[in-house]
Amino acid sequence: MHTMSTSDFYYDLPEELIAQTPVEPRDHSRLMILSKETDTIEHQHFYDLCEHLREGDLLILNDSRVLPARLYGEKCGTGSAIEFLLLEQKGDKLWEIICRPGKKAREGAEFVFGNGRLHAKVVEVKEDGNRVVQFCCDGNLFTALEDIGHMPLPPYITRKLENKERYQTVYSREPGSAAAPTAGLHFTPQMLEKIKSKGVNIAYVTLHVGLGTFRPVKTDNILEHKMHSEHYHLPSETAKLINSTKAAGGRVIAVGTTSCRTVESVATFGNGAITESDGYTDIFIYPGYSFKVLDGLITNFHLPESTLIMLVSAFYGYEKTMEAYKKAVEEKYRFFSFGDAMLII
């Protein structure tokens, strides 16, 4: 296959199809069913998902929780306004952040947030302009963030989110993401119970989604794109379930590109073997990649020219993926984080 260029993954999306608010209830979003066996496209709702799962299948969910990582505060001494966005934990209450305006955040500068609830000091200014800051607060930093932080919604969502929990999955547990693993937003607790009662297993991985997820691919030759690195953990019980599912002929279905990248990373590092694993991955999956674990994928509709639409094309086939996206636009599906989903099986 010729080297693909970024523009091969462009599609035309009318702005009104970018979902600004989530559908209520969660599982009433639409679900496009793409069959790898029959090449058919069906239009259903997310609550119909169970019909397409079989006893012995395994769903892999990412239990990462989005940090309310956007902080508005002021500089000590001058009182001038500052905005922080937490990117990644580097140590105890030590974080890499982006801040605006940057010129106020030189090394040694101190800031205060939430009427003194949280203090921060810049300990390093990195080459790319990011800062490393040491936070200081009474008690747990995550608790302080839950109280005074704001959700870092993606740039294409311009509406204020009324309920912070709608940008969390119902099974989110491990705080650390800068963005939600959005394919999981459609599940309700009742739906997960229904899936389990059908004999489908559910296993968890944790991948903390970085803001690099939204970074457009700037190089025309996709092979030159440098993927951002994200921290993941695949627990031993998940490894066991993947292995036993595969051995019994069941299907492993990833909920979201983050779950997919975690499982495929572990398989790649382990030469096909899945064992408990913890580390960083910058795996970039694009057409031509051969999947080592995945049999199915549940995912939302992604931005044109993004690494995520490239991943979907790798799994479903380039032409078929672009055709499905064209169909989704025609059928007025809702796109991106708060939008509808597809199941490729």
Side-chain angles (χ1 to χ4, degrees):
M1 181 170 172
H2 70 288
T3 306
M4 301 202 78
S5 65
T6 302
S7 52
D8 290 332
F9 295 91
Y10 179 79
Y11 65 92
D12 208 15
L13 180 68
E15 199 165 313
E16 65 269 17
L17 296 185
I18 299 174
Q20 291 295 331
T21 51
V23 167
E24 295 298 344
R26 288 174 183 258
D27 59 358
H28 279 51
S29 43
R30 292 166 75 190
L31 183 65
M32 180 186 273
I33 315 281
L34 302 170
S35 163
K36 291 183 89 162
E37 285 166 22
T38 58
D39 276 354
T40 50
I41 297 185
E42 281 179 78
H43 305 288
Q44 293 188 332
H45 286 90
F46 204 83
Y47 51 71
D48 299 314
L49 174 67
C50 221
E51 298 168 22
H52 302 276
L53 303 176
R54 304 197 284 247
E55 190 179 340
D57 284 347
L58 175 65
L59 278 187
I60 308 263
L61 309 181
N62 179 6
D63 65 5
S64 179
R65 194 167 164 76
V66 186
L67 284 176
R70 184 165 270 143
L71 290 167
Y72 299 99
E74 53 189 50
K75 186 169 182 176
C76 295
T78 67
S80 52
I82 191 86
E83 177 188 340
F84 277 16
L85 185 60
L86 279 64
L87 293 182
E88 193 192 346
Q89 188 166 9
K90 295 292 187 189
D92 184 34
K93 294 184 184 167
L94 188 71
W95 282 77
E96 182 173 334
I97 63 140
I98 299 172
C99 64
R100 311 201 275 251
K103 59 180 184 299
K104 291 183 186 161
R106 299 206 167 91
E107 206 168 302
E110 296 188 28
F111 300 91
V112 62
F113 302 91
N115 297 325
R117 179 81 195 270
L118 195 56
H119 290 262
K121 182 176 184 173
V122 179
V123 294
E124 186 193 342
V125 177
K126 299 184 66 126
E127 273 177 24
D128 58 8
N130 290 357
R131 308 298 200 268
V132 178
V133 299
Q134 181 66 60
F135 285 102
C136 156
C137 62
D138 287 339
N140 186 315
L141 176 65
F142 293 130
T143 311
L145 287 174
E146 289 288 347
D147 292 343
I148 63 175
H150 298 257
M151 278 296 173
L153 291 178
Y156 47 76
I157 292 177
T158 52
R159 291 261 187 93
K160 189 175 183 303
L161 182 63
E162 293 308 322
N163 169 10
K164 273 209 276 206
E165 280 304 306
R166 276 311 263 112
Y167 194 56
Q168 304 280 15
T169 61
V170 296
Y171 47 79
S172 66
R173 275 197 298 248
E174 302 289 336
S177 275
T182 54
L185 293 178
H186 309 279
F187 287 93
T188 62
Q190 297 78 1
M191 195 173 165
L192 289 167
E193 286 311 313
K194 186 179 167 191
I195 287 168
K196 283 181 200 159
S197 63
K198 190 171 180 173
V200 175
N201 286 310
I202 291 180
Y204 295 92
V205 295
T206 306
L207 181 130
H208 291 318
V209 188
L211 279 181
T213 287
F214 302 117
R215 203 176 291 149
V217 178
K218 296 247 171 58
T219 58
D220 192 46
N221 173 354
I222 65 174
L223 304 184
E224 290 165 12
H225 176 67
K226 175 79 187 86
M227 272 300 264
H228 54 290
S229 176
E230 293 168 322
H231 186 257
Y232 73 87
H233 175 62
L234 188 142
S236 61
E237 56 271 29
T238 299
K240 285 187 192 114
L241 274 166
I242 292 172
N243 292 327
S244 60
T245 301
K246 283 293 196 188
R251 300 175 301 182
V252 175
I253 300 161
V255 175
T257 54
T258 57
S259 303
C260 161
R261 287 180 39 241
T262 304
V263 170
E264 291 294 321
S265 295
V266 173
T268 303
F269 298 148
N271 288 328
I274 298 283
T275 51
E276 177 171 6
S277 179
D278 197 274
Y280 283 84
T281 178
D282 59 359
I283 190 170
F284 180 16
I285 296 176
Y286 53 85
Y289 175 86
S290 79
F291 285 84
K292 295 157 189 65
V293 180
L294 220 60
D295 304 297
L297 177 65
I298 296 169
T299 187
N300 282 17
F301 291 89
H302 304 293
L303 280 82
E305 302 187 341
S306 62
T307 60
L308 304 177
I309 192 173
M310 293 172 189
L311 182 151
V312 175
S313 302
F315 187 64
Y316 188 51
Y318 168 73
E319 273 88 9
K320 291 194 297 191
T321 299
M322 298 315 284
E323 192 52 47
Y325 268 71
K326 211 169 105 191
K327 196 76 170 161
V329 170
E330 282 166 20
E331 299 285 336
K332 296 203 172 2
Y333 272 72
R334 300 166 84 246
F335 280 68
F336 307 163
S337 297
F338 284 142
D340 297 316
M342 57 166 63
L343 164 68
I344 308 170
I345 197 81

